[in-house]
Amino acid sequence: MTDKPRITILYCTQCNWLLRAGWMAQELLQTFSDSVGEVALIPGTGGNFEIRIDGELLWERKRDGGFPGPKELKQRVRDVIDPDRDLGHTDRGSLES
């Protein structure tokens, strides 16, 4: 049996980003409940907001220009853990212009 990926969300407690981190965790758990082993919230300071999969940086607030929306975050996570997965309306909405 293979280990499922671990997603961590480091958030700044000084900036009161717990609710945002919790919302992102909830979105990921709802979408990838069968594909991830854990989504962990890690309190930090200094304006940090980072999302990692098995230690590899996926999103960093300063580097990536703010916070991810649920759609973009789900697509990035999918691209790492299950690239062939169809995210339904999340994907179709991004293909329509």
Side-chain angles (χ1 to χ4, degrees):
M1 183 173 148
T2 61
D3 290 325
K4 293 180 180 179
R6 179 178 194 254
I7 299 173
T8 58
I9 302 174
L10 172 67
Y11 66 95
C12 178
T13 58
Q14 297 168 319
C15 303
N16 294 315
W17 289 338
L18 173 60
L19 288 178
R20 180 181 303 272
W23 175 43
M24 293 293 107
Q26 180 179 345
E27 289 286 333
L28 293 174
L29 287 168
Q30 181 69 36
T31 301
F32 299 103
S33 60
D34 58 341
S35 303
V36 299
E38 177 181 12
V39 177
L41 300 179
I42 302 172
T45 58
N48 290 316
F49 193 88
E50 298 177 1
I51 300 171
R52 296 178 182 267
I53 299 177
D54 291 334
E56 295 295 320
L57 188 61
L58 182 73
W59 188 278
E60 199 277 320
R61 184 186 64 83
K62 294 173 189 171
R63 179 192 76 181
D64 295 310
F67 299 98
K71 177 180 174 178
E72 183 172 7
L73 180 57
K74 289 176 187 182
Q75 289 171 333
R76 285 195 186 196
V77 168
R78 182 270 318 273
D79 291 347
V80 172
I81 67 172
D82 190 1
D84 295 327
R85 182 178 182 151
D86 179 8
L87 291 175
H89 71 277
T90 299
D91 280 338
R92 285 187 288 283
S94 67
L95 297 175
E96 297 170 3
S97 300

